[in-house]
Amino acid sequence: MRAARCFVCRSRTPPSVNSNDSAWLSNADRPLTGYERIFGSVGTQRGLRTRGAIEDVAAMAERGGLTVQDLQRQEFANRVPAGGLAAADAAKGCAALPGGTATGSDGTAVDVSAACPVLAAWERTMDTGSRGALLFDRFWRKLTATVPTAPRWRVPFSAADPVHTPNTLNTATPEFATALADAVAELRAAGIPLNSRLGEHQFVVRDGQRIPVPGGTETLGVWNKIEPVWNAGQGGYTDVAFGSSHIQAVGWDGSHCPVARTLLTYSQSSNPNSPHHSDQTRLFSAEKWVTARFCEKDILSSPALESVRVHES
């Protein structure tokens, strides 16, 4: 897995964030310009992951008093910017379909009426316990694959407000109903309830056991980027191709030692017989962290510490 996310915030210094994107909006209040095109475009539409990150970081900076715990919470907030922008409109558009029916891409009429309340009730996160997240994810992938950005939204992109535009889902396009029908039909064919928990169908298998995986795809805009592989015959997303890999939240508390929490999502060993084959993957699933120990006092306080004295025989 790999997905870069860099966030820097120091006292008296404007916060900056980058999500594998142009340097232009590293800080939306102080856009960067005048650099070579190879470093990214200026004045063009940003992806939802960048837009969501700017909103989240701005909110943290506004609150002030940023701590390592704040960064830890942000990593696993699993907020879906696409959901915030489009889920309510999708639910309304779904409810407005005549007879609660939409036609799929194969020409089959699909009863989508049960999807409408699921989309409306979804809390707009990709947590492992989120109900409706999988339905929206599959719908959104199909919609973005068939509808270009401009006709997808009613309010177009504006370089004067790049964080909040475009917005307002255009449910009048025929592709909207088709994407919804295809998503509903796909889940039903796989025997997956429309309101099932995400972690029941987005997981990795380690030591013969399923480990639920939180997070979501780039086009959803999720901070905790996860790019899984869909396999309906095996229950949903059954592998993670890439995404969040090495995660760290680092800060200082006034002492000379850094405060650091880390996580290696795919664990430290590829050997299935190793005790470290899936340990940190399980921590990632449970949204827990490893305490990194830099200073002597931290090392000595570790409950896992073992001391070995080496001497000549």
Side-chain angles (χ1 to χ4, degrees):
M1 305 178 189
R2 183 181 65 179
R5 166 81 68 181
C6 180
F7 166 45
V8 179
C9 185
R10 300 187 182 94
S11 60
R12 298 183 298 278
T13 302
S16 61
V17 61
N18 192 278
S19 308
N20 302 101
D21 209 338
S22 166
W24 174 45
L25 289 182
S26 294
N27 182 292
D29 294 328
R30 303 185 184 185
L32 298 175
T33 59
Y35 50 81
E36 295 294 332
R37 174 64 179 80
I38 194 172
F39 296 110
S41 60
V42 171
T44 57
Q45 184 174 322
R46 300 296 91 196
L48 285 175
R49 191 162 177 255
T50 290
R51 292 169 60 185
I54 292 171
E55 291 176 328
D56 293 342
V57 169
M60 286 192 287
E62 181 68 23
R63 290 195 302 270
L66 188 69
T67 66
V68 169
Q69 288 73 26
D70 290 325
L71 296 179
Q72 290 177 262
R73 282 190 292 270
Q74 176 59 36
E75 171 59 33
F76 287 121
N78 293 320
R79 182 175 78 88
V80 183
L85 288 171
D89 290 332
K92 292 177 183 177
C94 173
L97 290 170
T101 300
T103 302
S105 57
D106 62 355
T108 301
V110 179
D111 182 355
V112 298
S113 58
C116 310
V118 174
L119 290 171
W122 173 47
E123 80 278 35
R124 313 327 189 225
T125 70
M126 295 293 283
D127 291 325
T128 55
S130 296
R131 294 185 180 274
L134 184 63
L135 171 62
F136 185 84
D137 170 67
R138 298 307 298 169
F139 156 72
W140 193 249
R141 289 173 184 267
K142 297 177 188 303
L143 184 69
T144 55
T146 56
V147 182
T149 300
R152 194 184 311 153
W153 304 101
R154 294 185 183 275
V155 177
F157 168 74
S158 169
D161 188 13
V163 177
H164 303 109
T165 60
N167 62 60
T168 312
L169 184 66
N170 183 9
T171 58
T173 64
E175 291 87 356
F176 164 76
T178 300
L180 185 59
D182 285 349
V184 170
E186 177 181 62
L187 293 180
R188 285 180 177 154
I192 299 175
L194 302 184
N195 69 336
S196 60
R197 292 183 177 89
L198 177 66
E200 294 172 352
H201 307 285
Q202 180 171 282
F203 56 85
V204 294
V205 177
R206 298 289 184 272
D207 308 316
Q209 297 181 334
R210 291 185 177 186
I211 302 177
V213 174
T217 183
E218 177 87 18
T219 54
L220 289 172
V222 185
W223 178 293
N224 179 23
K225 175 182 166 73
I226 291 294
E227 295 293 349
V229 177
W230 180 258
N231 189 325
Q234 295 185 29
Y237 288 124
T238 57
D239 196 8
V240 177
F242 61 95
S244 295
S245 52
H246 172 70
I247 306 169
Q248 62 181 36
V250 182
W252 282 261
D253 59 3
S255 70
H256 67 284
C257 290
V259 177
R261 301 294 182 266
T262 64
L263 199 57
L264 193 63
T265 64
Y266 44 78
S267 297
Q268 291 181 303
S269 176
S270 59
N271 180 359
N273 297 317
S274 169
H276 303 296
H277 175 58
S278 62
D279 53 353
Q280 293 196 35
T281 305
R282 295 182 186 280
L283 289 177
F284 179 63
S285 175
E287 301 182 359
K288 296 181 179 180
W289 296 73
V290 173
T291 298
R293 302 175 186 275
F294 290 94
C295 294
E296 189 71 13
K297 66 179 181 61
D298 297 323
I299 296 172
L300 293 175
S301 66
S302 171
L305 176 67
E306 292 183 11
S307 297
V308 178
R309 295 185 179 278
V310 179
H311 57 83
E312 292 183 336
S313 57

